[in-house]
Amino acid sequence: MNTSPLPINLTRYAWLSILAAVLTIGLKLAAYWLTNSVGLLSDALESLVNLAAAIVALIALSIAVRPADKDFTYGYSKVEFFASGFEGGMILLAAISIIASAIPRLLNPQPIEQVGLGLLISVIASGINLAVSLVLKRAGERYGSITLEADSRHLMTDVLTTVGVLIGVGLVALTGWLRLDPLIALIVAVNIIITGISLLRRSARGLMDVALPPSDLQTIQAILKPYEAQGMSFHELRTRTAAARGYVSIHILVPGEWSIQRGHDTAEQIEREIRAKMPQISVLTHVEPLEDEASWQDSLST
């Protein structure tokens, strides 16, 4: 009583992210070379981290698409949590590199050159990252891929970094206060740290088999409710997530006078209804007689 759709190959989105990283690295390094801005240098360093994270995402998505086998009977989708955790770590590394570049320049300010051309190049790079981030976000939501979602958030932090840097460089050009450049870079680093910690936390929860979100649980309970009016009951509802996949197990309590065939058919019908509403969910049911006291025992309360 457990069927589920085959995983979808999402590696094309990882290749898109890699291409964007390569393009933006070249553009941002050129902007730094033209301007000598530590803010733009920190922006370029983050794009290097983007490239590393995109490569890891490609590897993870290539593994996640493998079908279940005798060694991994539930499939490989959980590898996405490792990828998103790596992504969170890379985001923190990017923040550290920005701080390391900004502090010396804060103590020893340096002039910025060719501001106009440097900012133009950075805007182009930021536009590329923004477009790819939105594509990955939509794909991540559509296919339930935490890897694509993490990559999207990473690229969006890159966009925010660039926006902050552009503001800083522009203000330096207008005011002549050179320390604004590294100060903006430090503020951006703090924002990136918050995003990185959020991704690491979500990855850790996924590796620890966190339950499905409340909205999914409400959907399942809404499906079960009409059956309760037929004299049935349910307990031992257990759920867990594995990136794009979700797993549900439930005990179905039916009148003891029912035949085995009727109980089986009812369980199959419930599973079909859950999968129809939630295609990425794998469902396992266990039928028990209502009249047996042992049927009502909950393993979490023993």
Side-chain angles (χ1 to χ4, degrees):
M1 298 183 186
N2 185 4
T3 59
S4 58
L6 291 174
I8 300 171
N9 193 327
L10 303 176
T11 54
R12 62 186 182 276
Y13 294 104
W15 280 112
L16 176 63
S17 183
I18 289 173
L19 176 60
V22 171
L23 289 174
T24 55
I25 286 170
L27 289 169
K28 291 179 180 181
L29 286 176
Y32 164 67
W33 182 76
L34 288 170
T35 63
N36 193 37
S37 164
V38 69
L40 292 176
L41 173 60
S42 67
D43 208 8
L45 289 174
E46 186 179 358
S47 290
L48 285 171
V49 175
N50 288 350
L51 178 59
I55 293 172
V56 170
L58 174 63
I59 296 171
L61 291 172
S62 299
I63 295 174
V65 76
R66 295 178 185 175
D69 54 35
K70 64 179 182 179
D71 292 323
F72 296 91
T73 54
Y74 285 96
Y76 291 80
S77 62
K78 211 167 184 180
V79 72
E80 289 200 53
F81 288 117
F82 290 97
S84 64
F86 179 84
E87 191 110 24
M90 289 294 96
I91 289 176
L92 294 181
L93 181 61
I96 292 171
S97 68
I98 292 172
I99 293 170
S101 301
I103 290 178
R105 193 65 67 90
L106 185 63
L107 300 175
N108 184 27
Q110 299 292 325
I112 297 177
E113 304 169 358
Q114 301 190 58
V115 174
L117 183 57
L119 294 185
L120 176 61
I121 294 174
S122 290
V123 167
I124 295 172
S126 183
I128 294 172
N129 278 335
L130 177 60
V132 174
S133 175
L134 293 176
V135 170
L136 296 182
K137 182 177 184 294
R138 285 195 293 268
E141 292 174 348
R142 179 179 179 183
Y143 300 111
S145 171
I146 188 175
T147 299
L148 293 181
E149 181 184 339
D151 211 7
S152 170
R153 292 179 66 179
H154 195 168
L155 287 176
M156 190 58 70
T157 63
D158 192 292
V159 173
L160 294 175
T161 299
T162 303
V163 171
V165 168
L166 293 177
I167 293 173
V169 172
L171 289 175
V172 169
L174 291 174
T175 65
W177 189 28
L178 300 180
R179 283 191 171 86
L180 270 176
D181 182 30
L183 281 174
I184 291 293
L186 290 173
I187 292 172
V188 168
V190 171
N191 178 68
I192 293 173
I193 288 173
I194 294 172
T195 300
I197 291 175
S198 174
L199 280 176
L200 286 173
R201 181 175 179 273
R202 182 173 180 188
S203 300
R205 285 171 59 82
L207 290 172
M208 293 178 67
D209 286 341
V210 66
L212 292 174
S215 59
D216 288 344
L217 292 177
Q218 290 173 2
T219 299
I220 295 171
Q221 289 165 350
I223 292 172
L224 299 178
K225 191 171 183 61
Y227 290 93
E228 294 177 348
Q230 302 176 26
M232 299 168 56
S233 187
F234 305 90
H235 77 145
E236 293 262 12
L237 176 60
R238 305 282 184 267
T239 68
R240 67 183 180 90
T241 57
R245 304 286 308 136
Y247 296 89
V248 174
S249 67
I250 184 171
H251 288 201
I252 302 175
L253 280 62
V254 302
E257 62 188 26
W258 281 19
S259 66
I260 295 176
Q261 185 65 54
R262 183 176 179 183
H264 169 79
D265 291 344
T266 302
E268 287 283 357
Q269 181 179 344
I270 291 171
E271 291 182 16
R272 284 194 297 270
E273 289 185 25
I274 293 176
R275 287 194 294 268
K277 291 276 189 178
M278 309 161 74
Q280 296 302 316
I281 296 296
S282 179
V283 188
L284 179 65
T285 56
H286 177 67
V287 179
E288 297 177 307
L290 273 167
E291 295 81 5
D292 189 346
E293 291 185 5
S295 300
W296 295 88
Q297 293 179 0
D298 193 315
S299 61
L300 286 183
S301 60
T302 57

